[in-house]
Amino acid sequence: MRDLPQAVTDYIFGLTIEATRKRSPAYLLGDGEGRLIEFGGKLALYGINNPELGVHIDQQVEYLAGFLPLEGEPVVLPCLKCGDGVSTDLHIFSGEGGDWILFLESTEIEATQQEIQQHAHELSLNKEKQSRMLSQFLGDQVAQGLEDGKFDIKKGGERRNLTILFADIRDFTPFSENHSPQAVFRTLNIYIRSMMETLAGEASSLNAIVGDQVMAVFGIFSAAASHQFRAVGASLKMIEKVNELYEERKRWNLPALRIGIGVSSGPVAIGILGTKERKTLTVIGHYVNLAARLQSLASPGEILIDKNTYDNIRSYRRFFSPTTLECKGIVSPVKTFSNMGKN
Amino acid sequence: MIKKKVCMLGSFAVGKTSLVRQFVQGIFSDKYLTTVGVKIDKKTIELAGEEVQMMLWDIAGEDGFQRIQTTYLRGMAGYILVVDGTRRSTLEEAKNIFLRIDEMDIGSVPHVVFLNKIDLTDEWELKGEDIASLNEIEARAFKTSAKTNEGLEEGFLNLAEMMVKQG
Ligand SMILES: Nc1nc2c(ncn2[C@@H]2O[C@H](COP(=O)(O)OP(=O)(O)OP(=O)(O)O)[C@@H](O)[C@H]2O)c(=O)[nH]1
Ligand SMILES: [Mg+2]
């Protein structure tokens, strides 16, 4: 601080001393062999009662064993708690007279830090949980399939005719803002689980859960029925399951939400991304965007499908009727079909 | 009485605080309250007729932002690396902590690994090869549960024995 004027440094020191005084400073002084030769301040606050001069400090404050005599640099032990003592920032430093041990109360600092840390950790735990659930449902299966060469996808990627499904929980964002993170994730887990279980039974290969959204790709595993048929079958089942959940939760007075689904079908680029340990399939293209867009336009309980899908679902056609939508970002008007029969 | 300082180390939320609380007070809570800084507890055990006081330093877990404060480690006679068996990534993190301590040039310090939350069988993620890989860090592993108390006595005693042998 040499480049600051004396008046400024004096002022800063004044601030520091004032702030520090509020933190109930207390101290111990040890001689070259760690025996107590002086003490002062509210030591009882830190759980140190009746200090005895001449006795080794680490016999009186057991946790200091190994710290005294101090050799070299000062040591700081932030937010230390022991017994019934309050949280303290402990500073150990050599100075005039021997080794000084300074106690400064850190209850407030700790409380602030605690709040931030708790929030961050809970958030990370929830994120981890979500991605674990993903691999639990299909990640491993897809990864294994890739390993065994079950799906013959060319290394460099290729174009394939596939069906893409997007489903999300309607009105989840306002819901999540009005409930505790615990409640949000509990509800999210129940819903995502219900959607995923349906998908897993339909030979889809699942790509992602992003927040309150699920994406699935049909047509990678070979199966008897067309991928469009299976995707729409899965959609109808998902809606049915979630509707049951919705009614049930309403009966119990629990937060009840519904989902919207978008399905689209056509040629997309498919490739393998990832490392040796963890491979994932990725799809890119117009039809992926279209499915996502349709999903975003679907009302609660609604399935919106494009014409390519509609043309290939035979007996399921009776559930759908044409609807007109404004599809932002997609140039030509899209023929769309809905299970909710609106025009 | 022999006194030994033991540090509880590992990622956040693996169960360090819960293990100490179960071992010292015999209680467990499902509620997660993250540790800031360090909390020190004591527990006296008997080893071959001799009393050993373990001074347990329950240190804030590592996360994306915060590494272990190394000043806390000074004078430790042993340490426990805690892994959350339901979060596989915490195993790698524990190994990393070992490697960093190994680099600190404080000689070989007795240590054991606790593979914690063994009561959560449905969510258990560790496989045989994961556990075998602990050879890399020269550590014996104990499957523990801070909830049911499984494995705690054995794990802590094993470490105490190693520390006493070390002198
Ligand atoms: N089922 C089960 N839950 C456990 C076990 N051990 C800890 N938990 C839970 O896991 C969460 C985290 O436990 P803590 O003991 O606070 O973890 P920590 O390692 O001290 O975490 P930090 O202080 O943040 O580093 C709490 O919700 C505990 O109830 C266990 O053996 N079984
Ligand atoms: Mg803790």
Side-chain angles (χ1 to χ4, degrees):
Chain A
M1 278 205 215
R2 210 172 297 150
D3 45 354
L4 287 173
Q6 187 66 39
V8 175
T9 45
D10 283 354
Y11 183 76
I12 294 173
F13 282 136
L15 289 181
T16 314
I17 284 173
E18 197 188 337
T20 309
R21 267 197 217 292
K22 284 188 195 142
R23 294 176 60 194
S24 318
Y27 64 90
L28 302 171
L29 176 62
D31 68 10
E33 270 144 64
R35 280 184 295 250
L36 184 64
I37 49 177
E38 204 186 314
F39 60 85
K42 292 185 213 156
L43 284 164
L45 189 64
Y46 304 103
I48 300 165
N49 300 305
N50 316 318
E52 264 182 77
L53 292 173
V55 178
H56 278 274
I57 291 176
D58 57 17
Q59 279 169 20
Q60 310 189 56
V61 189
E62 282 180 325
Y63 59 78
L64 285 174
F67 287 92
L68 296 172
L70 182 71
E71 284 150 9
E73 295 295 296
V75 169
V76 182
L77 303 172
C79 295
L80 181 144
K81 279 90 46 196
C82 185
D84 50 12
V86 299
S87 177
T88 169
D89 282 349
L90 207 84
H91 298 253
I92 309 170
F93 55 95
S94 296
E96 208 177 318
D99 289 337
W100 294 86
I101 299 143
L102 171 65
F103 299 81
L104 294 174
E105 183 174 359
S106 54
T107 311
E108 267 177 54
I109 301 171
E110 176 167 331
T112 312
Q113 171 77 20
Q114 214 279 336
E115 202 173 318
I116 298 167
Q117 196 174 302
Q118 184 80 31
H119 189 72
H121 287 178
E122 276 171 12
L123 218 66
S124 317
L125 286 175
N126 280 326
K127 257 197 212 152
E128 280 180 33
K129 205 176 200 167
Q130 239 179 309
S131 71
R132 257 200 312 282
M133 205 158 76
L134 173 67
S135 60
Q136 225 177 52
F137 275 99
L138 265 160
D140 286 350
Q141 188 188 344
V142 171
Q144 197 55 50
L146 290 168
E147 216 68 74
D148 305 345
K150 244 188 225 150
F151 347 99
D152 49 337
I153 290 166
K154 296 195 185 79
K155 272 241 160 64
E158 64 179 285
R159 197 166 289 277
R160 266 212 202 176
N161 219 353
L162 299 171
T163 301
I164 318 294
L165 176 156
F166 278 94
D168 85 342
I169 304 171
R170 303 278 70 171
D171 302 322
F172 195 76
T173 310
F175 164 78
S176 69
E177 276 157 10
N178 293 321
H179 290 79
S180 74
Q182 289 84 351
V184 168
F185 276 91
R186 229 179 4 247
T187 307
L188 184 58
N189 268 323
I190 290 166
Y191 274 85
I192 297 268
R193 198 167 279 275
S194 158
M195 294 196 268
M196 304 282 264
E197 277 165 3
T198 312
L199 288 169
E202 288 293 325
S204 73
S205 83
L206 190 86
N207 265 24
I209 300 174
V210 185
D212 60 344
Q213 188 182 56
V214 170
M215 176 202 184
V217 181
F218 294 78
I220 297 167
F221 293 102
S222 50
S226 76
H227 41 88
Q228 293 91 345
F229 185 83
R230 284 184 286 124
V232 170
S235 305
L236 289 163
K237 235 181 258 169
M238 273 163 87
I239 294 282
E240 191 188 307
K241 268 194 128 180
V242 171
N243 280 349
E244 278 168 20
L245 194 60
Y246 178 84
E247 296 303 332
E248 167 89 9
R249 291 176 68 86
K250 269 189 112 170
R251 265 201 305 282
W252 287 87
N253 250 334
L254 290 165
L257 297 158
R258 284 193 286 188
I259 56 169
I261 299 177
V263 181
S264 139
S265 168
V268 296
I270 178 165
I272 298 164
L273 284 183
T275 58
K276 208 172 157 214
E277 287 76 37
R278 174 119 198 121
K279 288 178 185 156
T280 48
L281 287 171
T282 299
V283 287
I284 299 165
H286 166 78
Y287 292 95
V288 180
N289 301 342
L290 179 58
R293 182 72 65 195
L294 291 175
Q295 173 238 263
S296 72
L297 294 167
S299 314
E302 187 171 35
I303 306 167
L304 288 172
I305 64 177
D306 72 341
K307 185 163 186 317
N308 284 350
T309 306
Y310 181 78
D311 287 344
N312 288 285
I313 55 172
R314 290 167 308 177
S315 56
Y316 287 145
R317 269 190 219 162
R318 65 194 157 93
F319 296 117
F320 290 85
S321 51
T323 176
T324 37
L325 292 170
E326 253 186 68
C327 256
K328 246 201 293 175
I330 289 166
V331 195
S332 50
V334 189
K335 246 193 167 163
T336 311
F337 301 81
S338 163
N339 65 326
M340 299 211 337
K342 61 180 179 195
N343 267 309
Chain B
M1 183 160 55
I2 308 171
K3 293 179 183 176
K4 297 287 176 192
K5 170 173 173 178
V6 174
C7 291
M8 306 293 295
L9 305 173
S11 301
F12 68 92
V14 293
K16 300 177 293 298
T17 302
S18 304
L19 286 162
V20 171
R21 192 179 298 151
Q22 177 62 265
F23 188 53
V24 176
Q25 296 171 264
I27 51 174
F28 173 81
S29 158
D30 267 318
K31 199 172 147 49
Y32 175 40
L33 201 68
T34 186
T35 307
V36 172
V38 60
K39 178 151 189 313
I40 301 163
D41 270 294
K42 282 185 289 193
K43 163 102 177 176
T44 305
I45 55 159
E46 224 187 81
L47 205 69
E50 201 166 3
E51 289 204 321
V52 181
Q53 186 199 73
M54 296 177 102
M55 178 104 62
L56 301 163
W57 286 53
D58 171 22
I59 295 173
E62 295 209 326
D63 58 30
F65 306 101
Q66 199 174 226
R67 286 283 179 91
I68 289 166
Q69 175 89 27
T70 51
T71 51
Y72 293 144
L73 306 183
R74 189 175 290 203
M76 71 178 172
Y79 62 95
I80 297 174
L81 291 167
V82 184
V83 171
D84 179 345
T86 69
R87 286 151 65 212
R88 197 158 174 265
S89 59
T90 62
L91 181 75
E92 276 325 299
E93 287 150 13
K95 287 185 196 169
N96 280 330
I97 294 171
F98 166 83
L99 292 174
R100 271 183 277 139
I101 291 176
D102 206 35
E103 265 178 39
M104 275 170 51
D105 218 25
I106 47 175
S108 120
V109 182
H111 57 283
V112 291
V113 176
F114 281 9
L115 306 169
N116 193 37
K117 309 197 186 178
I118 187 70
D119 57 291
L120 299 172
T121 37
D122 285 352
E123 293 165 46
W124 194 254
E125 286 202 328
L126 300 179
K127 300 188 185 111
E129 69 238 41
D130 296 323
I131 295 163
S133 76
L134 289 168
N135 280 338
E136 294 166 27
I137 63 166
E138 303 142 27
R140 243 191 101 177
F142 296 87
K143 288 181 179 156
T144 61
S145 166
K147 189 168 184 172
T148 66
N149 200 21
E150 181 179 339
L152 265 65
E153 199 79 16
E154 201 192 345
F156 278 108
L157 252 77
N158 195 275
L159 179 67
E161 234 167 77
M162 287 181 356
M163 292 190 301
V164 169
K165 223 177 264 171
Q166 184 110 350

